[in-house]
Amino acid sequence: MKITELLKKDTIIMDLMASTKEAVIDELVEKLNKAGRLNSKSEFKEAILQREMQSTTGIGEGIAIPHAKTKAVKQPAICFGRSVSGVNYESLDGQPAHLFFMIAASEGANNTHLETLSRLSTLLMDEGFRKQLLEAESKEELLRLFDEKENEKEEQTETMKPEENEPYVLAVTACPTGIAHTYMAADSLKAKAVELGIAIKVETNGSTGVKNELTKEDIERATVVIVAADKQVEMNRFAGKHVIQVPVADGIRKSEQLIQRAVNQDAPVFQGIKESGKTEGAEKEKGLGIYKHLMNGVSNMLPFVVGGGILIALAFFFGGIKAEGPIAEVLMSIGGGKTGAFAFLVPILAGFIASSIADRPGFMPGIVGGFLAAQANAGFLGGLIAGFLAGYVVLGLKKLFANLPVQLEGIKPVLLYPVFGLLITGVLMLKIVNPPVVALNEALTGWLNGLGGTNAVLLGLILGGMMAIDMGGPINKAAFTFGIAAIEAGNFGIHSAVMAGGMVPPLAVALATTFFKAKFTEAERKSGLTNYIMGASFITEGAIPFAAADPIRVIVSCVVGSSLAGALSMLFGITLPAPHGGLFVIMLVNKPMLYILSILIGSVTSALMMGVWKKKI
């Protein structure tokens, strides 16, 4: 099948109107939908955005290839769009993109379709061909260029056999969908190896399966193996060889550097992990991959934050500040409390951090460690510690049991890792991690009680800031408990400062993601919108995913804004008798307009700090 059987006149846009990445995606999706190639426009767009979250499809050299394989596609197709002025597509080389190819692969697409879609990416590696596409004056000319390019007889040898004692480089390329990046990385590596006179063989792990598979003889003969992959590939076969592990994008953009490293054997010897063929990507060479592990926990925790938070907000809407009544009680039970979604935040965060570090054997110890942290009131910070602790404990167990007899291999994942991982993690959490965190909580409460006679504004500043430091953790809970105690003592001003400080982080995140879009990913911008509701509902935890992803900038910014809101609340003499915050209790405040003003000033301050301080994505 030829490319022009998938790329038709009705899926070509010669002059894109879009000027942003989001607008480009919308315009191309709309074109495919109008051409009748989609079953569901919204589902296909969501699949495209999920692929963008894994890594940008702006591959550089003025090209972007957003793609997805999903049941939302009715008929496999390619949609082409061209922007002469260029669009900032978050490309790997930082340059604007001019040529856009949106690949729509159906879930049941046959190999012929997938191979054709994959072949497109290889043609685009030709600089002269890209220039012709930019200069094409009509749809007819564009289609003719593709036909002519495909008709050219290009005899590319998949395997260049090395002379004896000469370097022999092997490579494996793979991207999550296996349509575009997989083959572009393979072609880039092969082309650069030929240019440098280095023998190479490249295996592709694409949608149509493994092609040009590396044999046992290839691996034995190899000098170095380059694994340019963003998904799991079989790694055990490379045990004992020098292995370079990088993202698939590096195979496209840094092919010469990788070939040179391979020739120089500038790579560690891969030891092999028998129970997992998982490749960790570039982080293995850069350190512990802490950011990657953290993001794995945060991204899996996010649905619990959003779903639970919205239901809690609705509970207060239907049941007032005490969430009373049958509807409110049901919503609160599902979203919050000890049985709802919010009860799972810390365990889920810890579990997925641990599984990112140690694969599936780390998941269960991480979940339990996070649960123990939550039960002990160690909160968000305790969950982070539990996740990393469980992950590295299991990783240590893997190394410890690596030399056990082969006959015991099968009992490692079902017996040894679960039992010892759970035992060690649980003991460390109960005896070493939780006690000091709980003691810190109690000490903070006592310290706050000692501040009761100090300047009211200073107290409001401290309490407001404490609400944002760990966003639901022990410090936050200490300030909240102090506010509740103040209400019971008849002091309603202190609790108003606490509530104002707790509303600022989610509202600040919402404002920052709205007005500083370039500083946040597509997923963060979507999540940011829900924080308007969470902030208005006094659900501080809505900002946790953002704080976990960028703790210094987000937490410091939120602490400043929350402190300001708390101080202003005390300065204005605002009182709040209800043991909760948010718009649902505004009618109980003595000075509602000044209270709203305090919160807005704090939120805007934090949002501006984040917007200026954070780096562009």
Side-chain angles (χ1 to χ4, degrees), residues 119-185:
R119 192 161 63 251
L120 167 67
S121 62
T122 67
L123 299 184
L124 295 175
M125 298 304 293
D126 186 331
E127 183 179 356
F129 182 57
R130 297 198 301 269
K131 184 178 180 182
Q132 288 179 315
L133 296 179
L134 276 172
E135 296 173 351
E137 296 181 356
S138 66
K139 295 181 180 180
E140 292 78 8
E141 182 181 356
L142 189 85
L143 294 173
R144 177 179 58 79
L145 288 171
F146 273 104
D147 278 335
E148 291 176 353
K149 186 66 177 176
E150 282 197 282
N151 289 334
E152 291 179 7
K153 291 184 179 180
E154 297 180 343
E155 296 183 0
Q156 265 193 324
T157 304
E158 286 293 330
T159 304
M160 294 175 54
K161 289 297 183 182
E163 298 294 334
E164 193 164 345
N165 298 324
E166 284 189 354
Y168 184 32
V169 177
L170 300 183
V172 179
T173 62
C175 71
T177 52
I179 296 175
H181 288 57
T182 299
Y183 301 97
M184 298 187 79

Side-chain angles (χ1 to χ4, degrees), residues 162 166-172 189 198-202 214 218-228 238 240-246 257-270 285:
E166 284 189 354
Y168 184 32
V169 177
L170 300 183
V172 179
L189 289 167
I198 304 299
I200 190 171
K201 180 176 180 180
V202 184
L214 304 179
D218 288 325
I219 296 170
E220 289 177 353
R221 174 68 180 83
T223 308
V224 167
V225 181
I226 300 170
V227 178
F238 305 135
K241 307 299 293 188
H242 291 276
V243 176
I244 300 171
Q245 296 186 59
V246 296
Q257 177 184 332
L258 292 173
I259 297 296
Q260 292 288 6
R261 287 185 57 191
V263 172
N264 296 330
Q265 290 191 322
D266 179 16
V269 175
F270 182 69
E285 296 187 1

Side-chain angles (χ1 to χ4, degrees), residues 88-370:
N88 178 12
Y89 201 86
E90 303 171 0
S91 299
L92 296 172
D93 59 2
Q95 299 301 311
H98 298 274
L99 302 174
F100 302 88
F101 296 86
M102 180 169 280
I103 297 176
S106 59
E107 198 168 51
N110 59 39
N111 285 357
T112 302
H113 282 134
L114 294 172
E115 287 170 358
T116 305
L117 293 170
S118 302
R119 192 161 63 251
L120 167 67
S121 62
T122 67
L123 299 184
L124 295 175
M125 298 304 293
D126 186 331
E127 183 179 356
F129 182 57
R130 297 198 301 269
K131 184 178 180 182
Q132 288 179 315
L133 296 179
L134 276 172
E135 296 173 351
E137 296 181 356
S138 66
K139 295 181 180 180
E140 292 78 8
E141 182 181 356
L142 189 85
L143 294 173
R144 177 179 58 79
L145 288 171
F146 273 104
D147 278 335
E148 291 176 353
K149 186 66 177 176
E150 282 197 282
N151 289 334
E152 291 179 7
K153 291 184 179 180
E154 297 180 343
E155 296 183 0
Q156 265 193 324
T157 304
E158 286 293 330
T159 304
M160 294 175 54
K161 289 297 183 182
E163 298 294 334
E164 193 164 345
N165 298 324
E166 284 189 354
Y168 184 32
V169 177
L170 300 183
V172 179
T173 62
C175 71
T177 52
I179 296 175
H181 288 57
T182 299
Y183 301 97
M184 298 187 79
D187 282 356
S188 181
L189 289 167
K190 285 188 289 185
K192 187 56 63 175
V194 170
E195 180 183 323
L196 298 174
I198 304 299
I200 190 171
K201 180 176 180 180
V202 184
E203 172 187 296
T204 55
N205 284 228
S207 292
T208 57
V210 175
K211 296 295 178 66
N212 205 34
E213 187 172 4
L214 304 179
T215 66
K216 183 178 180 181
E217 291 72 23
D218 288 325
I219 296 170
E220 289 177 353
R221 174 68 180 83
T223 308
V224 167
V225 181
I226 300 170
V227 178
D230 288 337
K231 71 172 187 177
Q232 181 174 336
V233 297
E234 175 53 46
M235 292 292 295
N236 277 341
R237 51 188 168 154
F238 305 135
K241 307 299 293 188
H242 291 276
V243 176
I244 300 171
Q245 296 186 59
V246 296
V248 68
D250 283 7
I252 302 172
R253 302 293 308 158
K254 301 179 180 179
S255 55
E256 181 172 2
Q257 177 184 332
L258 292 173
I259 297 296
Q260 292 288 6
R261 287 185 57 191
V263 172
N264 296 330
Q265 290 191 322
D266 179 16
V269 175
F270 182 69
Q271 300 299 326
I273 304 176
K274 294 181 180 179
E275 60 279 353
S276 170
K278 182 178 179 181
T279 176
E280 297 295 338
E283 288 88 352
K284 278 193 173 180
E285 296 187 1
K286 294 180 181 179
L288 298 176
I290 290 175
Y291 178 77
K292 176 196 160 192
H293 306 320
L294 188 61
M295 288 307 298
N296 192 57
V298 169
S299 62
N300 284 283
M301 178 184 70
L302 186 58
F304 291 83
V305 175
V306 175
I310 298 301
L311 293 185
I312 291 172
L314 290 174
F316 286 114
F317 177 79
F318 286 107
I321 59 174
K322 294 184 179 180
E324 294 177 334
I327 296 178
E329 289 175 0
V330 169
L331 291 171
M332 185 61 75
S333 296
I334 297 172
K338 295 182 179 180
T339 58
F342 261 48
F344 292 90
L345 293 188
V346 174
I348 289 295
L349 174 70
F352 279 96
I353 288 175
S355 66
S356 178
I357 296 169
D359 208 359
R360 282 186 296 178
F363 185 68
M364 184 273 291
I367 286 283
V368 176

